[in-house]
Amino acid sequence: MKIVLASDHAGATLKADLVEYVASLGHETRDLGADGSCSVDYPQFAQQAARAVIDGRADRAILICGTGLGMSMAANKVRGIRAALCHECYSARMAREHNDANVLCLGQRVVGVGLARDVVRTFLEAQFSQGPNHRRRLDMIAESESGAEAV
Ligand code: RB5
């Protein structure tokens, strides 16, 4: 799959590790920044990555900030994005199987690199269940965001 990764300054170290890790799993990766420790604004990076997913330039995005909270809030404002903040593997698997999440968010200040890698692998390997109940609920979410901004 094509995976874009982005972070703010508080997630850049974990992002750098995950760019390499995701590539080692056989995926095509694109690093959208940020690099270094200069303070930047996470919505800008979340929106860029979300746009890549919505445009079809990427299959999934992985977004990292200090907590993962700001990235998930910003990404979920974009129509068609289903961003899931997951710091353990069960939620990462369910985010795909039940919620068909297309963005994974992580907090560098919350989770260690070993667990983050496991969460990422779980998220990338799991598939949407295609269950009609889950599909219906996702359609309801899509309906409710019909007035949201398309980036
Ligand atoms: C930056 O200090 C921090 O607020 C940001 O990375 C993120 O955790 C926000 O949700």
Side-chain angles (χ1 to χ4, degrees), residues 8-11 42 65-71 109:
D8 69 358
H9 54 287
Y42 59 79
C65 61
T67 59
L69 290 165
M71 283 294 197
R109 295 171 179 163

Side-chain angles (χ1 to χ4, degrees), residues 36-52:
S37 54
C38 284
S39 185
V40 294
D41 298 325
Y42 59 79
Q44 187 186 334
F45 292 88
Q47 285 159 12
Q48 246 191 293
R51 191 175 301 127

